[in-house]
Amino acid sequence: MKKEYAKMDAALLHLANKKVVLKLIKHNKEISRSALAKESGLTPPSITRIVDELINVDGLVESLGVGSSSGGRPPMIVKFKNDNNYIIGIDLGATYIRGCMVDLNANFISEIQVPTELEKGFLSIVDKVVKLINKLQSRKEPRAKIWGVGIGVAGLVNSKTGIIESSPDFGWTNIDLRQELDKHLDLPFFYDNSTRLMALGEMKMGEKNNQKNFAVINIGYGIASGLVVEGNLLKGFSGFAGEFGHIAVDTDSTVQCKCGMYGCLEALASGHRIASLGKQLLAENGSELLNELCRGNQDLITAELVARAAKKGDPASLKIYDEVAEYLCKGIGTLANLLNPETVYIGGGISLNGDLLFNLIEEKRDKYLLAGNTRVKIQPSTFGDQATSIGAVSVVLEKILNLELSGAKKTK
Ligand SMILES: [Zn+2]
């Protein structure tokens, strides 16, 4: 019995050491075996054994041969094996399904986008996701390996059960996406709330990936947030943390939110709200420019079109964005005073309309911030409209670096 325990401990220890070495190699781009021994505190024979395994068994490291020496034995250099190791990331949105295949350094190999066609129902959407994954897979080189698929989906994903308990964007309640995908996918796959994944992508691959406290606000059809506190992605008791869109920013408001409450930030400042205010403007003949841009067709009015009119100097369209920015600043003020983040990143469709919204936010933000919190930076998210896909990729990369995906078997 004792012997078995000892064996198990040795195996666990080996795995823990291997993870440390793999992460050091990934972090350093190129590193010698002797430097690995020095940085990890492991003995040179242990490093040799682990690195050989990572090269020959896991296929995650490659040898670059002998480096130049400044005296003594020439160093043996290794690097993280990026080529021919791929991950697929999916952004499952209510309007589009976007998929990308990237290498392990998130360099794009291939991308596909298809309309979601929400009205065709859940099974049709699953079918589209599966076809998109198969198509991306068919574009890889024969020798290349796809390690897994990450999927970001709009909605409340229960982090324990994987059930999408509610998704107003899709009109879903208690959907078991895992069970359905399981029938069709041979690759390991993982999914989570799209905004939380945006935050994970920012944390793992963003321009300042060592930040410990920040928030990502996703403003599109709805509004949500992903929160990183002390280096941890906040999930909450059931995995629903970050429902930033449903904090009340106007308790007297008569605008009802999809959640049933009145005066939620999402009801007053989302892309959907901007578009409906634009439509109202058109109905009241309130903007000649907007009328011209949509050629009198209210169905063509989107948040982006209202932004275009505002940028061309249309006062009524500008007023819409001004009001939206005010509400957003109220919300951001609450969030920043509560969590004291270093940066608040804004992503989602609305963030792609250039400087208009950011300039308005810059003007108004400090009104709602405690003096100590005015240092917070508010800026566009690093990855623009690819933020969710990159976040989805990051989930799989984390699993790879934790050596949870070395087998070809499906992992849940
Ligand atoms: Zn609400």
Side-chain angles (χ1 to χ4, degrees):
M1 202 63 181
K2 257 189 185 166
K3 247 188 191 170
E4 263 176 37
Y5 275 126
K7 233 190 233 172
M8 201 157 72
D9 286 349
L12 282 175
L13 190 64
H14 176 67
L15 186 66
N17 288 339
K18 208 169 145 182
K19 282 185 209 175
V20 169
V21 172
L22 180 60
K23 283 175 187 170
L24 276 174
I25 294 172
K26 169 89 168 83
H27 181 73
N28 281 284
K29 295 194 174 75
E30 286 180 16
I31 187 165
S32 70
R33 291 187 188 223
S34 51
L36 275 173
K38 215 175 185 179
E39 285 199 35
S40 66
L42 294 167
T43 61
S46 296
I47 289 292
T48 301
R49 188 178 152 214
I50 287 173
V51 169
D52 285 350
E53 240 179 74
L54 285 168
I55 294 173
N56 300 318
V57 182
D58 302 289
L60 284 168
V61 168
E62 61 187 314
S63 173
L64 292 179
V66 178
S68 56
S69 160
S70 51
R73 275 171 66 180
M76 300 288 288
I77 310 287
V78 292
K79 78 182 261 285
F80 191 60
K81 190 171 182 298
N82 197 31
D83 310 335
N84 286 330
N85 276 323
Y86 299 154
I87 298 171
I88 289 177
I90 306 283
D91 174 2
L92 175 49
T95 316
Y96 291 103
I97 306 170
R98 292 195 173 104
C100 64
M101 183 163 67
V102 303
D103 66 22
L104 299 192
N105 280 332
N107 298 309
F108 277 68
I109 308 296
S110 184
E111 274 180 278
I112 305 175
Q113 175 175 309
V114 294
T116 312
E117 296 180 299
L118 211 52
E119 65 286 356
K120 292 190 177 169
F122 172 62
L123 289 179
S124 155
I125 293 172
V126 170
D127 185 53
K128 280 190 182 218
V129 170
V130 172
K131 282 189 178 137
L132 196 144
I133 291 168
N134 290 341
K135 201 162 178 186
L136 284 168
Q137 236 179 322
S138 72
R139 292 181 181 176
K140 76 173 181 67
E141 287 176 36
R143 277 185 314 128
K145 170 173 178 173
I146 295 179
W147 285 78
V149 181
I151 303 169
V153 57
L156 296 179
V157 181
N158 186 313
S159 55
K160 288 168 195 150
T161 61
I163 300 282
I164 302 172
E165 294 196 6
S166 150
S167 174
D169 291 27
F170 288 94
W172 292 344
T173 320
N174 291 327
I175 285 281
D176 194 343
L177 180 62
R178 180 182 291 163
Q179 193 184 40
E180 208 47 46
L181 284 175
D182 224 358
K183 293 181 195 163
H184 308 285
L185 289 182
D186 292 326
L187 290 165
F189 65 86
F190 310 90
Y191 58 89
D192 202 347
N193 170 274
S194 47
T195 310
R196 194 152 55 211
L197 292 190
M198 283 169 98
L200 185 72
E202 202 69 63
M203 179 157 76
K204 299 294 173 190
M205 296 182 181
E207 36 132 39
K208 281 180 75 183
N209 55 18
N210 54 356
Q211 268 185 106
K212 295 256 185 293
N213 292 284
F214 67 88
V216 175
I217 297 173
N218 184 5
I219 314 172
Y221 186 77
I223 296 182
S225 74
L227 307 170
V228 173
V229 178
E230 308 298 346
N232 294 307
L233 191 58
L234 208 64
K235 287 195 166 183
F237 177 62
S238 306
F240 303 159
E243 285 300 321
F244 178 60
H246 303 282
I247 58 171
V249 286
D250 180 1
T251 45
D252 297 327
S253 174
T254 52
V255 183
Q256 192 174 24
C257 181
K258 280 177 292 180
C259 73
M261 296 191 287
Y262 290 85
C264 289
L265 181 62
E266 175 169 309
L268 296 170
S270 62
H272 180 69
R273 172 67 175 168
I274 296 169
S276 69
L277 286 174
K279 285 173 189 172
Q280 210 174 305
L281 202 58
L282 189 75
E284 292 163 355
N285 271 326
S287 162
E288 256 178 54
L289 186 59
L290 198 61
N291 194 1
E292 198 183 303
L293 286 173
C294 73
R295 301 187 295 276
N297 181 355
Q298 71 146 17
D299 292 343
L300 295 181
I301 294 189
T302 58
E304 196 265 325
L305 201 78
V306 179
R308 261 168 62 196
K311 279 189 270 187
K312 285 188 171 180
D314 176 51
S317 301
L318 188 61
K319 194 166 163 276
I320 293 177
Y321 266 87
D322 194 75
E323 186 185 304
V324 161
E326 193 77 43
Y327 285 129
L328 285 173
C329 286
K330 264 191 195 180
I332 292 169
T334 304
L335 187 145
N337 289 334
L338 196 64
L339 297 175
N340 182 218
E342 183 178 341
T343 311
V344 173
Y345 292 97
I346 299 185
I350 301 302
S351 69
L352 306 173
N353 292 331
D355 293 337
L356 173 70
L357 185 66
F358 287 96
N359 289 342
L360 288 167
I361 288 175
E362 214 46 46
E363 268 172 37
K364 301 168 188 295
R365 43 169 274 167
D366 286 0
K367 268 195 283 180
Y368 301 102
L369 291 164
L370 288 175
N373 284 326
T374 52
R375 270 170 290 193
V376 63
K377 289 185 280 297
I378 303 176
Q379 63 185 70
S381 74
T382 308
F383 298 107
D385 61 352
Q386 284 157 340
T388 300
S389 310
I390 291 292
V393 161
S394 309
V395 177
V396 183
L397 183 64
E398 276 300 287
K399 305 266 177 201
I400 295 172
L401 292 177
N402 282 320
L403 295 164
E404 292 169 31
L405 282 184
S406 14
K409 272 197 324 240
K410 214 184 252 196
T411 315
K412 297 276 168 64

